[in-house]
Amino acid sequence: QSVLTQPPSVSGAPGQRVTISCTGSSSNIGAGYDVHWYQQLPGTAPKLLIYGNSNRPSGVPDRFSGSKSGTSASLAISGLQAEDEADYYCQSYDSSLSGYVFGTGTKVTVL
Amino acid sequence: QVQLVESGGGLVKPGGSLRLSCAASGFTFSDYYMSWIRQAPGKGLEWVSYISSSSSYTNYADSVKGRFTISRDNAKNSLYLQMNSLRAEDTAVYYCARERGGMTTSAFDIWGQGTMVTVSS
């Protein structure tokens, strides 16, 4: 059972901006642990998209941005493109579980 | 290039055992914490276990504690997951992943392609 909650799906037209929320609790995001985001294209392994709440690894377009506040975090995709259709997961650490936790996952559809 | 390649997956009966391997290349394996992460068919990601760079620290998800054992051989640049007492709910693609950052702040920056484990009679 995931302890980080994400909307099951979001959609947008090409060029639009979409956001994905990731809601946690006082034992994970609210405790100050970093949030990271992954993109999983169909049939492939996840890829790190955002680390340390808002940092992009080399090669990730600046259309992707992350933020964190309180017990939640968000991933924004601006200038939505067809190749952004994928599943997106947030991830953090949970002190009560003493382990890493993932979000429930969000499917992004480009209309 | 930096790469992780898993192997060892397959079909096993409930109660059986399986050992997964992950071969690392292109980076100094002994410098990094490593994790196993799994994904059941059509489901989300679930962290399974991590091991520190020198094998001093390990931890497991409650769902596998007491049944799975993570280990590594830094001389062979390899990560392992021994899975015992397998259950149908362990059916998943198993990924090995490299951790970047400190233990509680780690992100998984390199992933293998995954190996499928199917537990069925």
Side-chain angles (χ1 to χ4, degrees), chain B residues 59-69 82-85 87:
Chain B
N59 200 13
Y60 301 88
D62 287 344
S63 58
V64 307
K65 203 168 288 186
R67 300 187 299 123
F68 289 11
T69 302
Q82 178 66 43
M83 304 185 295
N84 298 331
S85 303
R87 307 166 180 167

Side-chain angles (χ1 to χ4, degrees), chain A residues 58-77:
Chain A
S58 173
V60 173
D62 60 5
R63 303 185 293 104
F64 296 92
S65 62
S67 63
K68 174 188 149 183
S69 178
T71 58
S72 295
S74 291
L75 173 72
I77 309 173

Side-chain angles (χ1 to χ4, degrees), chain B residues 16-27:
Chain B
S17 298
L18 211 55
R19 189 195 195 206
L20 305 183
S21 299
C22 171
S25 60
F27 65 98

